[in-house]
Amino acid sequence: MQQPTSDEKVLAAFAHASVILMFLGPLGAVIIWAIQRSKSKYVRYHALQAMGYQTFTFWLWMIMMFFFMLIFFGFGIIVAAITSQTSSVMPPDILFFIQPLFMLFIFGVWGLIFLFGFVGAVFCMIGKEFHYPLIGSWLQNKIFNAATEEEAEQSEGAWVSSICHATAILQLWGMIVPIIVWFSQKDRSPRLKFQSMQAFLFQLIF
């Protein structure tokens, strides 16, 4: 890629920093990508990275919370069952320590997710290269180092389509992302036009 301009650095940084809106999904990154897709290869790359990172880390966080809650409540049930069989034994104080640990885990994971996004924003602002693990290299190889523009368009369409469908976990807010993609790309990419509308209708109905 060519050396980015100061405006490109700022927009790329905003795409990464929009991780703070994570409960709204990759909304900021998608808007920046839609506006800059035909204008800046640099901003396009970082916006694609950011929207993937923000979407899939939210899924990972939800899965981790589900299993952590199963462990937390399962442990509580086991302890309650053991103590209820011994009338002389009061519920152990350890239960009062587990709840703060649970909250610390939740906010700790969120903090790490935000921190990584902000690191990306800072790197973009100072003009240093930044790649999320796996995501960055995949996008670089499949889209920006593709043999033909057609292959790049197909890979990018598949990437953005998967994000449109993945925002279903956000329920109401999740519908905004595919509708933005549909409005901005319907005249450019038949694939994205179909997939984004399909994702929107699925979330609207279910």
Side-chain angles (χ1 to χ4, degrees):
M1 295 185 192
Q2 294 181 344
Q3 187 67 22
T5 65
S6 57
D7 287 344
E8 287 176 321
K9 291 177 184 178
V10 170
L11 287 170
F14 273 133
H16 290 293
S18 66
V19 70
I20 201 164
L21 304 174
M22 205 165 172
F23 280 110
L24 302 182
L27 188 58
V30 167
I31 292 172
I32 292 171
W33 169 79
I35 294 172
Q36 293 293 314
R37 185 182 184 190
S38 301
K39 299 177 182 179
S40 169
K41 192 174 183 179
Y42 179 80
V43 177
R44 174 185 170 195
Y45 172 65
H46 284 283
L48 285 169
Q49 278 201 93
M51 69 171 77
Y53 173 75
Q54 293 166 24
T55 302
F56 299 125
T57 51
F58 188 84
W59 269 92
L60 179 62
W61 184 81
M62 291 293 289
I63 292 168
M64 290 172 65
M65 289 303 102
F66 174 75
F67 283 108
F68 195 87
M69 287 179 68
L70 281 180
I71 295 170
F72 176 75
F73 288 114
F75 182 77
I77 291 170
I78 292 170
V79 169
I82 293 172
T83 56
S84 65
Q85 295 175 1
T86 310
S87 57
S88 61
V89 180
M90 295 295 290
D93 291 338
I94 192 171
L95 292 176
F96 294 99
F97 291 99
I98 293 176
Q99 187 173 2
L101 287 175
F102 179 64
M103 299 305 296
L104 181 63
F105 177 77
I106 291 175
F107 290 108
V109 172
W110 270 117
L112 288 174
I113 292 172
F114 290 156
L115 178 63
F116 210 22
F118 292 139
V119 168
V122 171
F123 272 48
C124 288
M125 285 296 294
I126 62 178
K128 294 188 69 175
E129 288 189 13
F130 178 79
H131 311 284
Y132 291 113
L134 302 178
I135 293 174
S137 58
W138 188 91
L139 288 170
Q140 191 76 47
N141 293 330
K142 291 290 185 178
I143 298 175
F144 298 95
N145 293 337
T148 64
E149 186 61 29
E150 184 179 355
E151 289 180 10
E153 287 280 341
Q154 289 178 352
S155 296
E156 186 171 15
W159 179 254
V160 178
S161 296
S162 68
I163 289 166
C164 288
H165 290 290
T167 57
I169 198 171
L170 297 163
Q171 298 180 342
L172 179 62
W173 291 111
M175 293 190 292
I176 299 175
V177 169
I179 206 64
I180 288 174
V181 172
W182 186 83
F183 271 115
S184 64
Q185 304 300 314
K186 60 185 175 68
D187 295 329
R188 173 170 178 170
S189 172
R191 179 195 180 112
L192 273 178
K193 178 181 179 181
F194 171 73
Q195 292 293 342
S196 58
M197 182 51 64
Q198 182 177 234
F200 171 76
L201 292 174
F202 174 82
Q203 295 181 42
L204 180 66
I205 294 169
F206 295 99

